[in-house]
């Protein structure tokens, strides 16, 4: 930076102001400094800047080491959004989202002077750990526990599930069966609540809950049971992989979708449009979640204080070919 200042004929402080986009620099001076930067092929020293300012242009992210579509998509969206804001992302992958694992990952990030921390915390075991993190650290959780006083950005799981269930009821089905995700996931709990809300609002009977995990294999096992129950005409699954397993089981049982049964998923995985039939599903806006998370975190970094504690992002129903009116409405059977 000293070499740039000497070549441009300005002070070290002026070079710093130009690098940081400060408005109180004359345009002619700015152009002279930028020309010197190009000529000298100068690159700002991020490590030195972190030592001076106490923070870097790096966001620390704590996430479970998983290939599940939702968390993986959120992580990719966070990295892209951070890059657009001039930040890099350092990911601390943990095997389990428990107190010890999260604490170790956060301490590692703080040792590298990250500007702030985002924790993707969709399971109950992460809740206590987040409340016990060091005070004063800019922190945002994604898909975390809505009952805890920690800044949170999340997909509106309840609204998405409510819309999925209502879509099936509006097609004429008397009720909707639900294949849920794991009981310790907030996503799963929210989708159960939305399903129940829609049934209650419509005055529809609530069938027994079919508990599963997030896998196609688990959906397949639930689908085998549902295929043997003639009263089942509509199924809402907590994610698209569960729906894939259900579709396979129904096909093997000689059931046609949507002629015999209708199915709706959640997540809109890239393959959903290529299922047989193409799957009606709920699409979370992961990019919007990432933008809101980063904006909330940057507000904390810049102000040194709080800001918004909650922000929910509405998902969108994507209607495809896996839903139709039940047979009794179509005059069949």
């Amino acid at each position: 930076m000293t070499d740039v200042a000497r070549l441009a004929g300005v002070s070290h402080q002026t070079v710093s102001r130009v690098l940081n986009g400060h408005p109180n620099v004359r345009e002619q001076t700015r152009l002279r400094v930028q020309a010197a930067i190009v000529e000298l092929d100068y690159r700002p020293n991020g490590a030195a800047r972190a030592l001076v300012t106490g923070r870097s242009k790096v966001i620390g992210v704590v996430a479970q080491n998983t290939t599940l579509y939702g968390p993986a998509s959120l992580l990719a969206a966070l990295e892209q959004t951070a890059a657009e804001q001039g930040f890099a992302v350092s990911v601390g992958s943990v095997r389990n989202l428990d107190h010890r694992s999260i604490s170790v990952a956060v301490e590692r990030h703080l040792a590298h002077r990250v500007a702030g921390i985002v924790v993707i915390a969709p399971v109950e075991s992460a809740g206590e750990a987040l409340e016990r993190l060091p005070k004063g650290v800019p922190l945002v959780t994604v898909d975390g526990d809505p009952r805890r006083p920690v800044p949170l950005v999340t997909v509106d799981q309840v609204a998405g599930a409510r819309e999925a269930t209502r879509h099936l009821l509006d097609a004429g089905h008397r009720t909707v069966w639900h294949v849920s995700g794991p009981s310790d996931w907030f996503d799963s709990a929210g989708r159960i609540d939305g399903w129940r809300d829609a049934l209650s609002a419509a005055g529809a009977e609530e069938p027994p809950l079919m508990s599963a995990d997030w896998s196609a294999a688990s959906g397949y096992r639930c689908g085998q049971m549902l295929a043997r129950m003639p009263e089942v005409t509509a199924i809402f699954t907590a994610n698209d992989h569960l729906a894939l397993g259900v579709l396979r089981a129904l096909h093997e049982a000689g059931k046609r979708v949507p002629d015999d049964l209708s199915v709706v998923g959640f997540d809109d995985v890239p393959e959903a449009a290529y299922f047989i039939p193409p799957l009606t599903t709920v699409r979370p806006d992961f990019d919007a979640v990432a933008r809101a998370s980063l904006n909330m975190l940057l507000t904390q970094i810049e102000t040194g204080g709080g800001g918004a504690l909650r922000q929910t992002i509405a998902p969108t129903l994507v209607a495809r070919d896996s839903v139709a009116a039940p047979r009794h409405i179509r005059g069949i059977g």
Side-chain angles (χ1 to χ4, degrees), residues 213-261:
D213 56 33
W214 295 122
S215 69
S218 182
Y220 177 75
R221 290 190 291 271
C222 291
Q224 287 179 311
M225 290 185 282
L226 291 167
R228 294 194 293 266
M229 302 165 65
E231 67 271 26
V232 177
T233 66
I235 304 168
F236 164 49
T237 66
N239 77 351
D240 291 348
H241 289 100
L242 287 168
L244 179 60
V246 167
L247 290 173
R248 171 66 181 269
L250 296 178
H251 173 74
E252 289 183 355
K255 304 288 187 179
R256 293 174 300 172
V257 176
D259 293 341
D260 299 319
L261 295 97

